[in-house]
Each structure stands twice: as C-alpha cells, then as structure tokens.
Amino acid sequence: MKLKSLMLGAAAAAAATTAQAADLPVAPEPVDYVRVCDAYGARFYYIPGTETCLRVGGRVRTQFVVNNVLDDGAWGNRDSDGYSWLARGYLYLDARTATEFGTLRAYVSMYGDSLNGDNSIFRMDNAYIQWGGLTAGRLGSNFDIFTGQAFMGVVGRDWSDTTLNQIAYTAAFGNGLSATIALEDRSSRESTSGVYGGTRMPDIVAALGISQGWGSAQISGALHQVYPSAAINGVNTSNGEDDLGWAVGAGVAVNLPMVTPGSNIFFQGFYADGALSYMGNQAGVFDANGSGDNSTGWSLSAGAYIQATSTIGLALDGSYSDIDAASGLNDVTRWAIDGSVQWEPVSGFLLGADVGYANTDTDTVGDEDELLFGVRMQRTF
C-alpha cells in the first residue's frame, strides 16, 4: 500500500514538473533582418547572411510608332505594317561585394516584348561580371562613344551602338582619365551575315577617355577581321583574300549648366575601312566584296539635350554618313535627324513624343526617304 502511494506521488510530481516546463517561454529563432547597404548608392540591400549588396529594379515601356508615312514607305505598301505597337518589360539585378582587389560586381538585365501582338520570351540584354578593372560578359562595346539624346530615336542615326560579348580591362589613372583594351565578339560587327565565313578572330578594341565636371571625351580604335564566306551570292570566293579591317572614332560631350542643369551637347566622328559597323552603316553596305576590296566610310553626328524645365526635356540628334563601297557594290550617302520632347511629372515616370526623318541615296537605285512619328510611356523603378 505504501509502495502504491509512493508511485502515485512520484507520477503526480513528474506531471506537475512537465506542466511547469511546458509553461516556460521558448526563445524565438534568430531573425536576420534585411539591412540597407549605402556603399553603392540608393536602393541597395544586403542579401541576408552575406556581405553582398543587391539592387533589384525594372522598367515597363509601351510605345506606338507610325511607320514611314511617305509614298515609298510602309504606308505605300499594302502588305507593310503602318504602325508598330510595342510593350516591353525589363528586369535588372545588380549584386556587389567589396574585396581587397576592388568591387566584385555581377549585373543582369533582361526584357520581354510584345510587338503588334507577337509575344516574345525574355531576351538577354546585359550580363557581365566586373572585378577591379576587369569586365567580362555582354554589354555595350567599348568603341561606342555617344548613342543619342532623343527619347525614342524612331529613325536610325549613323553611329556605333552595339551590345556584344567581350572581355576588357580598364585602367583608371585618376582625375577621370581611363584607358581600356578589349577583345569583342566579331559576330556582332559583321555587315551582313551571308558575306562572312565562320568566326576566327575576335575584334581588338581600345579606348582612351576622360570624364570631368565639364563633360567627357573619348577616342576609340578597332581592328576587325574581314573573313569572306566560301560563296557570296552564288560566287565562289574560297580563294578570296582575308583582310584586317579597322576603324577610329572620337567624340566630346560638353555640359551646359549655363543654360540649365542637366543640359548638354555632343559631337563625334568615325572612319572605317572594312569595318562599317563602327561608323553606323544604317544602309547595310557590305564590308567587302570577297575579292580583297574593302568598303570604306565616314560619319559625323551631333546631339543636344536641353532641360527646359524641371520636368520637361527637349532633345535633337543628327548624323551624316558617306560610304565608298567596294568594287561591284553601290556607294551610299545618308543623313538623318530625330527630335523629341519628354515630360517627367513623377520621378521615374516619363511620357514623350518623337519625330524622325532620314534620306538614303544609293547609287544606281536612287533616294529613299523616311518619316516616322512615335509616342512612349515609360516607368522605371
């Protein structure tokens, strides 16, 4: 009987102890809150558990362009689209980490289109890694200088504006002075894919630039392999001559604070031999004829942006190009002008209108005129 009482008492004490333990507060799991990273500018945050700062952003753009309204343009051809209606969505990711050799950066931007109801998958825009002065991946060519002021640019202007795969090294000397040497994908610089054979040698690009309070300037140079296909337009060129094309360019942009803060003007010029992509070549002239004769050309361009008010901006671009085509091809001269007005009623939200005119004069073919209009709405976040 005493043993039974002792056992019951022990069980009761154990139950009470268990109940009291259950009532004790449980320590919460540690939470790793997102921290603001101010080392690289606004809107960067530390990725939880790391010392890497990340910025996430995007852009939504919709625009309506009335295509060439002249008689020999889109509106003169019943089977051509009289307008282009585009909706585009961008996604940006920018990750940066401080290292003893400098900032380690990985940047990705991509976008998807819907043009006249045709939905596309997302396309790669930029994807590159930077570490100290080294850059590798897909981004704008180091040869390019200024790529225009107009809000939309409804007509093409003759200057280099190319995004491609590359590896580059930039040395900064202080006071805004820097020099870059790069290997860049030749494929993106072929005047017409059917003229070129397979890739053998990437382009070699060099640039020297300066950026200071007054503005910026750059000189650029490039070497480009002219490597004809085995057959061009059915003609055997397998015994044709390979050549080394080249291009040079220079440009300067000057800030105009005496007009209004944010206003500026730029000038630039290019010359190319067997590498017409580097001077614009909106007409699509072949770099060579496959028999050892290269096309040469030059272009001059300028643009201005005026911040008319705190919310309204005015822009104007113009270019002129002259191409002396290789033997058997047609020489071309072309000029183009494009102007726009844009309104930013709220930070990051833009509305604007654009108009552009271009004239292309091709030997043995004649003149072709272009006149286009466009409107755009854009939100960047």
Side-chain angles (χ1 to χ4, degrees):
M1 188 69 177
K2 289 181 179 180
L3 178 60
K4 183 177 181 182
S5 298
L6 288 173
M7 293 179 64
L8 290 173
T17 301
T18 302
Q20 290 174 359
D23 293 337
L24 291 175
V26 178
E29 293 292 329
V31 177
D32 196 357
Y33 292 98
V34 174
R35 296 175 293 149
V36 173
C37 173
D38 56 9
Y40 306 107
R43 299 194 294 277
F44 276 92
Y45 297 89
Y46 285 102
I47 298 175
T50 75
E51 291 302 314
T52 296
C53 298
L54 178 67
R55 179 174 175 176
V56 179
R59 172 179 291 170
V60 175
R61 170 186 294 172
T62 183
Q63 65 183 42
F64 186 91
V65 175
V66 179
N67 294 327
N68 193 358
V69 298
L70 302 178
D71 289 341
D72 57 349
W75 289 84
N77 183 343
R78 191 173 185 85
D79 294 324
S80 295
D81 288 334
Y83 68 83
S84 300
W85 200 331
L86 171 73
R88 174 176 290 178
Y90 291 84
L91 176 64
Y92 310 123
L93 297 172
D94 190 350
R96 307 188 195 186
T97 306
T99 77
E100 60 180 313
F101 300 102
T103 300
L104 175 59
R105 182 187 188 193
Y107 182 86
V108 178
S109 65
M110 59 190 75
Y111 66 89
D113 284 344
S114 173
L115 178 62
N116 287 11
D118 180 19
N119 296 319
S120 78
I121 61 175
F122 266 75
R123 305 174 185 176
M124 186 59 63
D125 185 24
N126 293 283
Y128 58 87
I129 297 170
Q130 288 180 321
W131 190 37
L134 182 67
T135 300
R138 175 179 168 83
L139 67 160
S141 172
N142 296 279
F143 184 92
D144 299 355
I145 305 178
F146 306 111
T147 56
Q149 306 273 32
F151 185 41
M152 297 176 63
V154 290
V155 296
R157 286 132 296 155
D158 285 275
W159 51 59
S160 176
D161 182 9
T162 304
T163 301
L164 40 67
N165 293 330
Q166 60 179 272
I167 182 167
Y169 182 79
T170 299
F173 304 113
N175 295 320
L177 183 65
S178 65
T180 299
I181 184 72
L183 296 178
E184 300 186 351
D185 181 20
R186 191 204 77 188
S187 305
S188 300
R189 293 293 192 179
E190 296 173 358
S191 56
T192 301
S193 59
V195 174
Y196 278 82
T199 55
R200 294 295 186 274
M201 168 184 163
D203 286 4
I204 301 172
V205 174
L208 179 66
I210 187 169
S211 180
Q212 296 183 342
W214 56 266
S216 61
Q218 180 175 312
I219 56 175
S220 303
L223 296 176
H224 170 82
Q225 185 188 32
V226 180
Y227 188 76
S229 171
I232 299 176
N233 296 327
V235 178
N236 182 13
T237 61
S238 58
N239 296 321
E241 296 183 28
D242 303 336
D243 201 357
L244 191 63
W246 56 275
V248 293
V252 59
V254 179
N255 296 327
L256 302 174
M258 72 292 292
V259 179
T260 53
S263 299
N264 65 88
I265 188 168
F266 79 84
F267 303 92
Q268 63 185 355
F270 303 97
Y271 180 84
D273 183 327
L276 297 184
S277 170
Y278 287 99
M279 49 78 62
N281 193 21
Q282 290 289 327
V285 178
F286 293 172
D287 283 335
N289 62 6
S291 299
D293 189 15
N294 290 346
S295 299
T296 62
W298 57 270
S299 68
L300 296 173
S301 52
Y305 177 82
I306 302 299
Q307 192 67 52
T309 72
S310 60
T311 60
I312 296 177
L314 308 174
L316 185 66
D317 292 324
S319 71
Y320 179 84
S321 65
D322 188 305
I323 297 176
D324 183 9
S327 176
L329 305 177
N330 289 322
D331 296 344
V332 176
T333 59
R334 184 178 187 272
W335 64 272
I337 187 168
D338 198 294
S340 66
V341 57
Q342 63 188 58
W343 178 42
E344 188 173 13
V346 179
S347 178
F349 178 49
L350 290 169
L351 300 98
D354 199 302
V355 58
Y357 178 84
N359 172 269
T360 304
D361 186 1
T362 305
D363 280 2
T364 75
V365 176
D367 284 356
E368 180 182 355
D369 296 308
E370 302 172 72
L371 180 60
L372 291 84
F373 307 89
V375 292
R376 174 185 288 176
M377 182 183 295
Q378 179 174 290
R379 170 74 165 101
T380 302
F381 56 91

